[in-house]
Amino acid sequence: MSEAVAERFEELYGTGPEGVWAAPGRVNLIGEHTDYNDGFVMPFALPHTAVAAVSRRTDGVLRLHSADVEGGVVELRLDDLTPGTDRNWTAYPAGVVWALREAGHPVTGADVHLASTVPTGAGLSSSAALEVVVALALDDLYELGLQRWQLARLCQRAENVYVGAPTGIMDQTASACCEDGHALFLDTRDLSQQQIPFDLAASGLRLLVVDTRVKHSHSEGEYGKRRAGCEKGAALLGVDALRDVPHGELDAALARLGDEEEVVRLVRHIVTENERVERVVALLRAGEIRAIGPVLVEGHASLRDDFRISCPELDLAVDTALAAGALGARMTGGGFGGSAIALVEAADVDTVTKALQEAFAAAGFTAPRLFEAVPAPGARRLNRASSSA
Ligand code: GLA
């Protein structure tokens, strides 16, 4: 893909790019909505990537083009970049440039051509991939010397402030920091990380991603409401973040919340979800991949019943996969549509796939997009080449 992207760059901008970079989308194995509660998450990178061909400019101009969106090159002046003013895809790369400059990094312009294979609207972090690939390219070209976690923080700032979405740090860190063949055990409080080997194939297993191809329109507002509810819970319990409520003290904490029924449900999800991440880490370390199945199922029930961010399509995907023999299944990502994952014996992939296709057809839902996810590398430079190299 990198050569095609470099060639297209040359067609658009007249000379070859200074380099080509890639950043992946992600699947989250477990640890949902814990990231803005200073908790634990466990994503891994997908083989699907956003690829960017990039060259520097010195004249304060940012030119952006995407192979995936109709329309020509968008030209912006760096001095004009203003948070909250761009509702298009260009807000992600422009937001990164804004965040870098706002943090004092001497970025003087860029020509960018992007092409992505990360499905959009599927809860697989296509926007984080766009942000991270641009951040990494500029970090390399401008020799900023930023650490991967610093790039993730800058990209989160772009998303929170420039784009205006109140998301946590998981997606950008996953895209920037994941490693091939591993899931990333991330403590979102201090961004400390452990790479946990996650070799599905060696265990005769597969992880199916079920992109329901629906994104319910209220999802953004509901995300913000859950976040505010969690913050209210932390305030009522007198802790900095719900991460600070130990699992062993959950019942006492819930009792203190009294009749705050909604907050009780949110707190219960976050505290039990953090414990589930720790359980999955322990099981993977012990080489017991199959045993994570029931933990994934518990996680889905908690997201459906307590956090209330599932939807009929996601529940159907999970229930059908389990009924067809999956060892575990859950929704993944922000919720209200997007994707589910199912942990499946290699020999059962066809059965589960067929069951999902039939169940969605019988329910009158759009046919899901199904693929197998293998833990892939995080963001990286693909080559140094201009098209002549
Ligand atoms: C979205 C956000 C993440 C995280 C997940 C839910 O993907 O971007 O920060 O909160 O939802 O786990």
Side-chain angles (χ1 to χ4, degrees):
M1 169 129 144
S2 76
E3 271 151 44
V5 174
E7 273 167 30
R8 184 73 179 119
F9 182 101
E10 184 161 4
E11 277 168 31
L12 290 162
Y13 298 120
T15 53
E18 290 185 272
V20 181
W21 292 258
R26 63 98 189 94
V27 151
N28 190 19
L29 188 59
I30 189 83
E32 220 64 87
H33 286 259
T34 44
D35 63 349
Y36 52 82
N37 290 291
D38 280 4
F40 302 127
V41 295
M42 208 182 181
F44 65 84
L46 288 169
H48 308 70
T49 56
V51 174
V54 184
S55 289
R56 283 166 293 182
R57 298 178 65 95
T58 54
D59 59 356
V61 167
L62 175 64
R63 294 197 292 181
L64 299 170
H65 185 268
S66 166
D68 311 307
V69 182
E70 298 264 322
V73 172
V74 175
E75 186 166 322
L76 304 164
R77 293 205 54 82
L78 299 189
D79 287 341
D80 295 341
L81 297 180
T82 311
T85 55
D86 186 351
R87 294 272 152 256
N88 297 312
W89 69 273
T90 46
Y92 298 103
V96 169
V97 174
W98 171 84
L100 283 165
R101 281 166 49 89
E102 203 224 14
H105 300 297
V107 174
T108 53
D111 286 339
V112 180
H113 169 59
L114 288 155
S116 179
T117 57
V118 186
T120 53
L124 301 174
S125 297
S126 59
S127 35
L130 282 188
E131 292 157 2
V132 170
V133 76
V134 171
L136 182 64
L138 295 175
D139 176 63
D140 268 1
L141 289 175
Y142 281 96
E143 299 180 353
L144 303 177
L146 294 166
Q147 306 280 317
R148 291 297 175 109
W149 67 267
Q150 291 175 303
L151 293 178
R153 278 269 183 245
L154 282 161
C155 290
Q156 185 198 17
R157 186 156 169 74
E159 181 132 359
N160 289 172
V161 181
Y162 197 87
V163 179
T167 52
I169 189 70
M170 168 169 70
D171 303 345
Q172 293 82 2
T173 314
S175 187
C177 301
C178 278
E179 289 183 8
D180 200 10
H182 292 74
L184 175 70
F185 175 33
L186 175 70
D187 180 339
T188 64
R189 170 159 276 169
D190 61 7
L191 299 192
S192 59
Q193 311 179 0
Q194 294 172 46
Q195 302 287 344
I196 310 290
F198 188 48
D199 189 345
L200 291 154
S203 302
L205 294 170
R206 300 286 183 272
L207 197 104
L208 271 186
V209 176
V210 187
D211 170 7
T212 64
R213 298 173 67 201
V214 293
K215 187 81 202 157
H216 292 286
S217 56
H218 50 279
S219 58
E220 276 181 32
E222 293 294 331
Y223 187 98
K225 277 192 209 161
R226 297 305 182 283
R227 188 171 180 151
C230 289
E231 282 161 8
K232 181 176 175 190
L236 288 171
L237 293 169
V239 291
D240 285 344
L242 292 182
R243 147 68 178 281
D244 297 311
V245 180
H247 188 250
E249 291 169 24
L250 176 60
D251 288 346
L254 296 184
R256 281 174 56 207
L257 290 170
D259 57 5
E260 291 276 358
E261 201 205 312
E262 194 192 332
V263 180
V264 164
R265 283 191 284 97
L266 298 179
V267 170
R268 188 163 51 213
H269 168 72
I270 298 301
V271 175
T272 58
E273 185 79 347
N274 278 326
E275 189 270 342
R276 280 186 284 276
V277 179
E278 294 189 284
R279 242 191 299 158
V280 166
V281 171
L283 288 168
L284 292 184
R285 285 218 169 98
E288 295 181 40
I289 301 194
R290 281 178 179 74
I292 74 172
V295 192
L296 305 185
V297 178
E298 268 177 49
H300 184 75
S302 180
L303 290 163
R304 182 191 60 212
D305 303 335
D306 271 346
F307 221 64
R308 301 197 179 169
I309 56 167
S310 190
C311 64
E313 294 86 351
L314 287 169
D315 290 342
L316 183 68
V318 168
D319 294 345
T320 305
L322 292 173
L327 301 166
R330 60 180 287 271
M331 55 153 284
T332 185
F336 303 104
S339 298
I341 53 172
L343 183 68
V344 178
E345 298 285 355
D348 291 340
V349 167
D350 290 347
T351 315
V352 174
T353 300
K354 193 159 170 276
L356 286 162
Q357 286 162 341
E358 287 175 0
F360 272 64
F365 293 156
T366 306
R369 189 168 169 272
L370 295 163
F371 63 92
E372 290 178 25
V374 184
R380 62 216 177 260
R381 189 166 189 159
L382 295 180
N383 64 14
R384 256 151 235 290
S386 65
S387 55
S388 55

